[in-house]
Amino acid sequence: MAMMLNYLAFQSLPSVALLPTRAQRSLKLSVTSSLYSSSKGKPLSSGRAKEANINVVHRMSPEKVEIFKSMEDWARSNILTLLKPVEKSWQPQDFLPNPASDGFIEQVNELRERTKDIPDDYFVVLVGDMITEEALPTYQALINSTETFYDETGSDNTPWATWTRGWSAEENRHGDLLNKYLYLSGRVDMKQIEKTTQYLIGSGTDFGPRASTPCALTIYTSFQERATFVSHGNTAKLAMKYGDEKLAQICGTIAADEKRHETAYTKITGKLFELDPNETIMAFAKIMRSKISMPAHLMYDGHDENLFDHFANVASRIGVYTARDYGEILEHLVGLWNVEKLTGLSGEGREAQDYVCGLAQRLKKVEERALTRAMKEPTVSFRWIYGREV
Ligand SMILES: [Fe+2]
Ligand SMILES: [Fe+2]
């Protein structure tokens, strides 16, 4: 699920799109963290940790619980089948020099030769993607905090709990593979990267209160998985352009996983639209009205308070994830779920439908301005690349 839906690109937008990071933070419900010292009430680690949020388990009405219950058989045969059996799954080692082989050192040297001319800005984006993937425990914890996906024993056999564990197990390989590749490349400061990951997992995340019901979370994750598919696909294309076919293959393989995950979450959402169109369209509109807040937006390296924004801006500048992508994902989902054709909605439901259907067009109007802004942002020093500026 790594992604960096770009705040900066949208900072000038009104409420139709994304709220700036700080405004979004003000919506947070309360402050909690073991990272706070109990005596002084100050954060022990990250300035961002204080902005971390309690993930509230939102109670669903019995009818809503019933809807998810009624989908269990369907989920077993339509969603769990989208998980790949472990024996048929790729593993990071498939793409990395084999430390037990005689040619290990030569393979590492070849890897370093391939990556030596790749520009720093690409590495900044790849590092940000990797760190976002590495914060996976946070995302699984958050998904488990919803009533439907809740895994009470840690090994529940509901299809929702089974899916979440299988999905997490697949995702776990993404950060692992990128981490090892980056380590072997010798192009980045691993200690700074590792610190950022520790800060991020310690800070948690905030998908926003509007993404806290199972229905909203499913829509949110549909968006996220598609965005991740797009961004990993673009890092693959760039790696190819820079002549590192192996890295292109790695990013492309991860992108393919994200696509399969997107299929699962969009299918669940599609079913929700079928069973409860009114509630689902209202959840969709609510999420889009606030914004899609990023899973890694509390990213911090111990120095740069705006690290996520800086990373997202570079991603936009090199075309890995832009304001245009955000609008296109929305458009794609609206079409996929036939949102325009929903019928039998309440007044509020129709209002939500109109809002969502018109949003992509409204975003298009400000897209160019957002892209231009991102291009004009000043260069920033990143500790991940030994303080060099991009
Ligand atoms: Fe994913
Ligand atoms: Fe991922």
Side-chain angles (χ1 to χ4, degrees):
M1 180 199 273
M3 72 158 37
M4 71 303 282
L5 299 179
N6 195 338
Y7 289 106
L8 280 189
F10 280 110
Q11 268 186 343
S12 60
L13 303 191
S15 59
V16 295
L18 301 175
L19 295 176
T21 313
R22 281 181 190 77
Q24 193 272 336
R25 277 189 218 130
S26 71
L27 292 171
K28 309 243 169 100
L29 299 174
S30 61
V31 172
T32 186
S33 177
S34 58
L35 300 169
Y36 278 73
S37 85
S38 53
S39 55
K40 294 183 181 171
K42 287 182 178 172
L44 295 177
S45 54
S46 160
R48 298 222 161 182
K50 67 188 171 199
E51 290 144 0
N53 193 8
I54 295 176
N55 290 316
V56 178
V57 178
H58 282 239
R59 295 277 162 231
M60 289 196 302
S61 65
E63 301 83 63
K64 299 283 176 298
V65 174
E66 211 36 59
I67 285 177
F68 273 87
K69 267 253 160 272
S70 74
M71 287 165 61
E72 289 196 352
D73 285 342
W74 171 86
R76 279 196 180 87
S77 45
N78 290 276
I79 301 301
L80 295 190
T81 46
L82 289 166
L83 290 171
K84 266 202 169 176
V86 175
E87 295 302 329
K88 290 188 177 160
S89 294
W90 61 265
Q91 298 300 334
Q93 188 53 58
D94 299 335
F95 301 91
L96 295 164
N98 178 1
S101 78
D102 289 341
F104 176 65
I105 301 297
E106 288 73 26
Q107 289 166 41
V108 171
N109 285 336
E110 281 166 25
L111 186 157
R112 292 164 81 98
E113 189 58 32
R114 287 198 305 271
T115 53
K116 82 175 175 14
D117 293 326
I118 298 179
D120 277 339
D121 51 12
Y122 179 89
F123 273 101
V124 163
V125 174
L126 200 62
V127 166
D129 283 354
M130 184 271 276
I131 290 168
T132 310
E133 296 278 0
E134 295 269 78
L136 183 65
T138 301
Y139 316 138
Q140 188 178 9
L142 190 121
I143 288 173
N144 274 346
S145 76
T146 64
E147 259 182 299
T148 303
F149 290 98
Y150 184 50
D151 190 350
E152 191 174 9
T153 62
S155 57
D156 283 5
N157 68 357
T158 66
W160 312 117
T162 306
W163 164 263
T164 304
R165 289 195 305 273
W167 168 79
S168 301
E170 289 193 0
E171 290 282 351
N172 184 56
R173 300 166 305 151
H174 301 172
D176 189 8
L177 174 54
L178 292 175
N179 187 315
K180 284 174 178 150
Y181 203 85
L182 285 164
Y183 168 77
L184 290 173
S185 76
R187 290 288 311 274
V188 293
D189 187 335
M190 287 308 295
K191 179 155 183 179
Q192 297 301 323
I193 292 168
E194 287 156 353
K195 272 175 62 181
T196 312
T197 304
Q198 187 175 357
Y199 271 124
L200 182 57
I201 296 176
S203 295
T205 188
D206 177 12
F207 289 5
R210 291 164 186 82
S212 301
T213 65
C215 177
L217 189 61
T218 309
I219 297 168
Y220 173 88
T221 315
S222 302
F223 200 110
Q224 293 279 16
E225 293 288 355
R226 179 143 188 105
T228 326
F229 160 67
V230 168
S231 59
H232 284 305
N234 285 331
T235 52
K237 281 181 205 154
L238 283 174
M240 190 60 103
K241 181 179 142 195
Y242 297 134
D244 189 341
E245 276 184 44
K246 182 64 91 175
L247 183 54
Q249 192 191 4
I250 287 171
C251 296
T253 302
I254 295 174
D257 270 10
E258 310 294 14
K259 180 76 186 147
R260 192 157 39 77
H261 298 160
E262 178 205 331
T263 302
Y265 286 104
T266 53
K267 268 187 158 189
I268 300 171
T269 310
K271 194 75 180 165
L272 288 168
F273 268 117
E274 198 182 305
L275 298 174
D276 193 358
N278 212 55
E279 196 65 31
T280 310
I281 186 58
M282 288 205 289
F284 193 10
K286 246 183 178 180
I287 290 171
M288 298 312 302
R289 275 199 172 102
S290 58
K291 72 164 190 137
I292 302 277
S293 65
M294 298 310 100
H297 69 103
L298 297 175
M299 190 181 276
Y300 179 63
D301 59 359
H303 296 275
D304 184 353
E305 287 287 341
N306 298 305
L307 180 60
F308 179 83
D309 294 347
H310 292 150
F311 148 64
N313 189 60
V314 178
S316 175
R317 200 192 307 144
I318 69 170
V320 166
Y321 194 84
T322 69
R324 184 173 295 132
D325 293 316
Y326 186 93
E328 284 177 359
I329 291 170
L330 172 65
E331 222 170 355
H332 169 82
L333 294 176
V334 167
L336 184 73
W337 293 326
N338 272 319
V339 175
E340 283 180 9
K341 299 205 175 85
L342 292 175
T343 52
L345 302 175
S346 67
E348 261 187 308
R350 281 199 302 278
E351 202 183 302
Q353 181 184 33
D354 289 345
Y355 172 77
V356 169
C357 291
L359 183 57
Q361 276 309 317
R362 291 197 294 281
L363 288 176
K364 271 203 176 87
K365 287 184 188 159
V366 288
E367 188 179 277
E368 286 309 316
R369 199 173 68 214
L371 290 169
T372 309
R373 253 174 87 95
M375 295 301 280
K376 285 183 180 165
E377 287 293 330
T379 58
V380 174
S381 157
F382 283 87
R383 289 187 173 237
W384 301 339
I385 49 169
Y386 299 96
R388 293 192 293 275
E389 286 192 8
V390 293

mmCIF file of all heavy atoms in Angstrom, residues 224-254:
data_model
loop_
_atom_site.group_PDB
_atom_site.id
_atom_site.type_symbol
_atom_site.label_atom_id
_atom_site.label_comp_id
_atom_site.label_asym_id
_atom_site.label_seq_id
_atom_site.Cartn_x
_atom_site.Cartn_y
_atom_site.Cartn_z
ATOM 1 N N GLN A 224 -6.309 3.887 -2.301
ATOM 2 C CA GLN A 224 -4.887 3.763 -1.970
ATOM 3 C C GLN A 224 -4.200 2.700 -2.825
ATOM 4 O O GLN A 224 -3.091 2.900 -3.308
ATOM 5 C CB GLN A 224 -4.724 3.361 -0.493
ATOM 6 C CG GLN A 224 -5.167 4.416 0.479
ATOM 7 C CD GLN A 224 -4.103 5.479 0.673
ATOM 8 O OE1 GLN A 224 -3.183 5.592 -0.112
ATOM 9 N NE2 GLN A 224 -4.230 6.259 1.722
ATOM 10 N N GLU A 225 -4.847 1.560 -2.957
ATOM 11 C CA GLU A 225 -4.206 0.480 -3.710
ATOM 12 C C GLU A 225 -4.016 0.879 -5.170
ATOM 13 O O GLU A 225 -3.001 0.558 -5.776
ATOM 14 C CB GLU A 225 -5.027 -0.810 -3.613
ATOM 15 C CG GLU A 225 -5.075 -1.437 -2.226
ATOM 16 C CD GLU A 225 -3.754 -2.077 -1.798
ATOM 17 O OE1 GLU A 225 -2.798 -2.142 -2.598
ATOM 18 O OE2 GLU A 225 -3.662 -2.502 -0.634
ATOM 19 N N ARG A 226 -5.004 1.573 -5.724
ATOM 20 C CA ARG A 226 -4.838 2.024 -7.117
ATOM 21 C C ARG A 226 -3.704 3.050 -7.203
ATOM 22 O O ARG A 226 -2.904 3.012 -8.137
ATOM 23 C CB ARG A 226 -6.139 2.624 -7.651
ATOM 24 C CG ARG A 226 -5.967 3.113 -9.072
ATOM 25 C CD ARG A 226 -7.150 2.896 -9.948
ATOM 26 N NE ARG A 226 -6.829 3.225 -11.331
ATOM 27 C CZ ARG A 226 -6.627 2.334 -12.280
ATOM 28 N NH1 ARG A 226 -6.708 1.052 -12.017
ATOM 29 N NH2 ARG A 226 -6.345 2.702 -13.524
ATOM 30 N N ALA A 227 -3.663 3.969 -6.243
ATOM 31 C CA ALA A 227 -2.598 4.978 -6.253
ATOM 32 C C ALA A 227 -1.228 4.313 -6.140
ATOM 33 O O ALA A 227 -0.258 4.732 -6.763
ATOM 34 C CB ALA A 227 -2.820 5.975 -5.127
ATOM 35 N N THR A 228 -1.160 3.272 -5.350
ATOM 36 C CA THR A 228 0.113 2.566 -5.196
ATOM 37 C C THR A 228 0.487 1.850 -6.490
ATOM 38 O O THR A 228 1.657 1.821 -6.877
ATOM 39 C CB THR A 228 0.001 1.516 -4.071
ATOM 40 O OG1 THR A 228 -0.866 2.002 -3.079
ATOM 41 C CG2 THR A 228 1.331 1.237 -3.463
ATOM 42 N N PHE A 229 -0.510 1.279 -7.124
ATOM 43 C CA PHE A 229 -0.282 0.628 -8.421
ATOM 44 C C PHE A 229 0.285 1.651 -9.413
ATOM 45 O O PHE A 229 1.278 1.382 -10.107
ATOM 46 C CB PHE A 229 -1.618 0.046 -8.929
ATOM 47 C CG PHE A 229 -1.657 -0.218 -10.398
ATOM 48 C CD1 PHE A 229 -0.859 -1.204 -10.966
ATOM 49 C CD2 PHE A 229 -2.500 0.520 -11.227
ATOM 50 C CE1 PHE A 229 -0.895 -1.448 -12.335
ATOM 51 C CE2 PHE A 229 -2.533 0.284 -12.592
ATOM 52 C CZ PHE A 229 -1.730 -0.698 -13.143
ATOM 53 N N VAL A 230 -0.315 2.830 -9.434
ATOM 54 C CA VAL A 230 0.138 3.874 -10.359
ATOM 55 C C VAL A 230 1.565 4.300 -10.024
ATOM 56 O O VAL A 230 2.437 4.373 -10.900
ATOM 57 C CB VAL A 230 -0.817 5.103 -10.292
ATOM 58 C CG1 VAL A 230 -0.228 6.304 -11.012
ATOM 59 C CG2 VAL A 230 -2.184 4.746 -10.862
ATOM 60 N N SER A 231 1.830 4.542 -8.739
ATOM 61 C CA SER A 231 3.153 5.083 -8.398
ATOM 62 C C SER A 231 4.265 4.044 -8.571
ATOM 63 O O SER A 231 5.325 4.358 -9.101
ATOM 64 C CB SER A 231 3.162 5.688 -6.992
ATOM 65 O OG SER A 231 2.824 4.734 -6.036
ATOM 66 N N HIS A 232 4.027 2.804 -8.177
ATOM 67 C CA HIS A 232 5.070 1.785 -8.401
ATOM 68 C C HIS A 232 5.259 1.535 -9.901
ATOM 69 O O HIS A 232 6.369 1.262 -10.359
ATOM 70 C CB HIS A 232 4.713 0.470 -7.708
ATOM 71 C CG HIS A 232 4.920 0.492 -6.215
ATOM 72 N ND1 HIS A 232 6.120 0.832 -5.635
ATOM 73 C CD2 HIS A 232 4.084 0.200 -5.186
ATOM 74 C CE1 HIS A 232 6.012 0.745 -4.314
ATOM 75 N NE2 HIS A 232 4.776 0.374 -4.018
ATOM 76 N N GLY A 233 4.162 1.628 -10.645
ATOM 77 C CA GLY A 233 4.269 1.474 -12.102
ATOM 78 C C GLY A 233 5.156 2.570 -12.695
ATOM 79 O O GLY A 233 5.977 2.314 -13.573
ATOM 80 N N ASN A 234 5.011 3.776 -12.172
ATOM 81 C CA ASN A 234 5.824 4.885 -12.682
ATOM 82 C C ASN A 234 7.282 4.784 -12.251
ATOM 83 O O ASN A 234 8.177 5.152 -13.015
ATOM 84 C CB ASN A 234 5.215 6.228 -12.252
ATOM 85 C CG ASN A 234 3.972 6.555 -13.060
ATOM 86 O OD1 ASN A 234 3.850 6.143 -14.215
ATOM 87 N ND2 ASN A 234 3.033 7.282 -12.460
ATOM 88 N N THR A 235 7.541 4.290 -11.043
ATOM 89 C CA THR A 235 8.961 4.111 -10.662
ATOM 90 C C THR A 235 9.573 3.001 -11.537
ATOM 91 O O THR A 235 10.762 3.045 -11.848
ATOM 92 C CB THR A 235 9.156 3.783 -9.160
ATOM 93 O OG1 THR A 235 8.318 2.691 -8.798
ATOM 94 C CG2 THR A 235 8.877 4.974 -8.272
ATOM 95 N N ALA A 236 8.762 2.041 -11.942
ATOM 96 C CA ALA A 236 9.261 0.995 -12.852
ATOM 97 C C ALA A 236 9.650 1.606 -14.199
ATOM 98 O O ALA A 236 10.736 1.334 -14.726
ATOM 99 C CB ALA A 236 8.192 -0.081 -13.049
ATOM 100 N N LYS A 237 8.770 2.444 -14.730
ATOM 101 C CA LYS A 237 9.064 3.063 -16.039
ATOM 102 C C LYS A 237 10.337 3.910 -15.967
ATOM 103 O O LYS A 237 11.165 3.886 -16.871
ATOM 104 C CB LYS A 237 7.893 3.963 -16.456
ATOM 105 C CG LYS A 237 6.716 3.182 -17.019
ATOM 106 C CD LYS A 237 5.599 4.137 -17.424
ATOM 107 C CE LYS A 237 4.273 3.417 -17.394
ATOM 108 N NZ LYS A 237 3.135 4.281 -17.161
ATOM 109 N N LEU A 238 10.468 4.663 -14.875
ATOM 110 C CA LEU A 238 11.657 5.511 -14.747
ATOM 111 C C LEU A 238 12.918 4.673 -14.597
ATOM 112 O O LEU A 238 13.969 5.007 -15.151
ATOM 113 C CB LEU A 238 11.508 6.456 -13.539
ATOM 114 C CG LEU A 238 10.583 7.657 -13.760
ATOM 115 C CD1 LEU A 238 10.394 8.430 -12.457
ATOM 116 C CD2 LEU A 238 11.152 8.589 -14.834
ATOM 117 N N ALA A 239 12.830 3.581 -13.843
ATOM 118 C CA ALA A 239 14.006 2.709 -13.673
ATOM 119 C C ALA A 239 14.444 2.175 -15.039
ATOM 120 O O ALA A 239 15.637 2.103 -15.341
ATOM 121 C CB ALA A 239 13.682 1.558 -12.731
ATOM 122 N N MET A 240 13.478 1.829 -15.853
ATOM 123 C CA MET A 240 13.789 1.346 -17.204
ATOM 124 C C MET A 240 14.480 2.451 -17.997
ATOM 125 O O MET A 240 15.481 2.216 -18.672
ATOM 126 C CB MET A 240 12.482 0.912 -17.874
ATOM 127 C CG MET A 240 12.665 0.181 -19.162
ATOM 128 S SD MET A 240 13.617 -1.324 -18.917
ATOM 129 C CE MET A 240 12.341 -2.533 -18.978
ATOM 130 N N LYS A 241 13.944 3.650 -17.887
ATOM 131 C CA LYS A 241 14.538 4.784 -18.603
ATOM 132 C C LYS A 241 15.993 5.006 -18.170
ATOM 133 O O LYS A 241 16.846 5.342 -18.978
ATOM 134 C CB LYS A 241 13.695 6.038 -18.307
ATOM 135 C CG LYS A 241 14.168 7.294 -18.981
ATOM 136 C CD LYS A 241 13.269 8.473 -18.643
ATOM 137 C CE LYS A 241 14.090 9.742 -18.476
ATOM 138 N NZ LYS A 241 13.361 10.816 -17.831
ATOM 139 N N TYR A 242 16.260 4.785 -16.882
ATOM 140 C CA TYR A 242 17.620 4.992 -16.379
ATOM 141 C C TYR A 242 18.510 3.767 -16.586
ATOM 142 O O TYR A 242 19.649 3.727 -16.133
ATOM 143 C CB TYR A 242 17.597 5.359 -14.891
ATOM 144 C CG TYR A 242 16.876 6.660 -14.603
ATOM 145 C CD1 TYR A 242 15.958 6.767 -13.564
ATOM 146 C CD2 TYR A 242 17.124 7.790 -15.387
ATOM 147 C CE1 TYR A 242 15.289 7.957 -13.307
ATOM 148 C CE2 TYR A 242 16.456 8.978 -15.143
ATOM 149 C CZ TYR A 242 15.543 9.059 -14.095
ATOM 150 O OH TYR A 242 14.894 10.231 -13.854
ATOM 151 N N GLY A 243 17.968 2.743 -17.219
ATOM 152 C CA GLY A 243 18.789 1.599 -17.592
ATOM 153 C C GLY A 243 18.905 0.494 -16.561
ATOM 154 O O GLY A 243 19.719 -0.416 -16.720
ATOM 155 N N ASP A 244 18.099 0.551 -15.491
ATOM 156 C CA ASP A 244 18.163 -0.530 -14.501
ATOM 157 C C ASP A 244 16.940 -1.439 -14.682
ATOM 158 O O ASP A 244 15.896 -1.237 -14.047
ATOM 159 C CB ASP A 244 18.214 0.043 -13.083
ATOM 160 C CG ASP A 244 18.509 -1.046 -12.042
ATOM 161 O OD1 ASP A 244 18.314 -2.241 -12.361
ATOM 162 O OD2 ASP A 244 18.921 -0.697 -10.929
ATOM 163 N N GLU A 245 17.107 -2.421 -15.527
ATOM 164 C CA GLU A 245 15.982 -3.309 -15.834
ATOM 165 C C GLU A 245 15.528 -4.122 -14.637
ATOM 166 O O GLU A 245 14.354 -4.421 -14.465
ATOM 167 C CB GLU A 245 16.372 -4.270 -16.966
ATOM 168 C CG GLU A 245 16.182 -3.664 -18.327
ATOM 169 C CD GLU A 245 16.474 -4.656 -19.438
ATOM 170 O OE1 GLU A 245 16.036 -5.814 -19.336
ATOM 171 O OE2 GLU A 245 17.156 -4.251 -20.399
ATOM 172 N N LYS A 246 16.480 -4.482 -13.807
ATOM 173 C CA LYS A 246 16.145 -5.291 -12.622
ATOM 174 C C LYS A 246 15.257 -4.484 -11.668
ATOM 175 O O LYS A 246 14.254 -4.974 -11.154
ATOM 176 C CB LYS A 246 17.443 -5.731 -11.934
ATOM 177 C CG LYS A 246 17.244 -6.612 -10.737
ATOM 178 C CD LYS A 246 16.601 -7.936 -11.077
ATOM 179 C CE LYS A 246 17.623 -9.001 -11.377
ATOM 180 N NZ LYS A 246 17.005 -10.326 -11.588
ATOM 181 N N LEU A 247 15.628 -3.228 -11.464
ATOM 182 C CA LEU A 247 14.821 -2.371 -10.591
ATOM 183 C C LEU A 247 13.444 -2.130 -11.217
ATOM 184 O O LEU A 247 12.425 -2.090 -10.508
ATOM 185 C CB LEU A 247 15.549 -1.039 -10.334
ATOM 186 C CG LEU A 247 14.881 -0.058 -9.377
ATOM 187 C CD1 LEU A 247 14.565 -0.688 -8.019
ATOM 188 C CD2 LEU A 247 15.753 1.193 -9.179
ATOM 189 N N ALA A 248 13.414 -1.994 -12.525
ATOM 190 C CA ALA A 248 12.124 -1.827 -13.221
ATOM 191 C C ALA A 248 11.253 -3.059 -12.989
ATOM 192 O O ALA A 248 10.048 -2.952 -12.722
ATOM 193 C CB ALA A 248 12.358 -1.621 -14.716
ATOM 194 N N GLN A 249 11.882 -4.217 -13.034
ATOM 195 C CA GLN A 249 11.144 -5.469 -12.822
ATOM 196 C C GLN A 249 10.620 -5.532 -11.378
ATOM 197 O O GLN A 249 9.479 -5.940 -11.135
ATOM 198 C CB GLN A 249 12.104 -6.627 -13.092
ATOM 199 C CG GLN A 249 11.436 -7.965 -13.201
ATOM 200 C CD GLN A 249 12.466 -9.099 -13.208
ATOM 201 O OE1 GLN A 249 13.666 -8.881 -13.065
ATOM 202 N NE2 GLN A 249 11.980 -10.312 -13.350
ATOM 203 N N ILE A 250 11.438 -5.092 -10.433
ATOM 204 C CA ILE A 250 11.036 -5.084 -9.021
ATOM 205 C C ILE A 250 9.811 -4.186 -8.814
ATOM 206 O O ILE A 250 8.799 -4.605 -8.243
ATOM 207 C CB ILE A 250 12.221 -4.609 -8.133
ATOM 208 C CG1 ILE A 250 13.279 -5.714 -8.042
ATOM 209 C CG2 ILE A 250 11.761 -4.159 -6.758
ATOM 210 C CD1 ILE A 250 14.579 -5.283 -7.387
ATOM 211 N N CYS A 251 9.923 -2.951 -9.304
ATOM 212 C CA CYS A 251 8.809 -2.002 -9.101
ATOM 213 C C CYS A 251 7.567 -2.492 -9.849
ATOM 214 O O CYS A 251 6.439 -2.361 -9.346
ATOM 215 C CB CYS A 251 9.206 -0.606 -9.572
ATOM 216 S SG CYS A 251 10.564 0.101 -8.610
ATOM 217 N N GLY A 252 7.759 -3.052 -11.025
ATOM 218 C CA GLY A 252 6.629 -3.554 -11.796
ATOM 219 C C GLY A 252 5.954 -4.735 -11.110
ATOM 220 O O GLY A 252 4.726 -4.869 -11.134
ATOM 221 N N THR A 253 6.758 -5.579 -10.488
ATOM 222 C CA THR A 253 6.203 -6.747 -9.786
ATOM 223 C C THR A 253 5.395 -6.298 -8.568
ATOM 224 O O THR A 253 4.312 -6.831 -8.294
ATOM 225 C CB THR A 253 7.358 -7.682 -9.360
ATOM 226 O OG1 THR A 253 8.085 -8.051 -10.528
ATOM 227 C CG2 THR A 253 6.843 -8.922 -8.667
ATOM 228 N N ILE A 254 5.913 -5.313 -7.870
ATOM 229 C CA ILE A 254 5.170 -4.778 -6.714
ATOM 230 C C ILE A 254 3.870 -4.122 -7.204
ATOM 231 O O ILE A 254 2.800 -4.311 -6.620
ATOM 232 C CB ILE A 254 6.042 -3.775 -5.911
ATOM 233 C CG1 ILE A 254 7.242 -4.509 -5.288
ATOM 234 C CG2 ILE A 254 5.218 -3.081 -4.828
ATOM 235 C CD1 ILE A 254 8.259 -3.605 -4.599
#
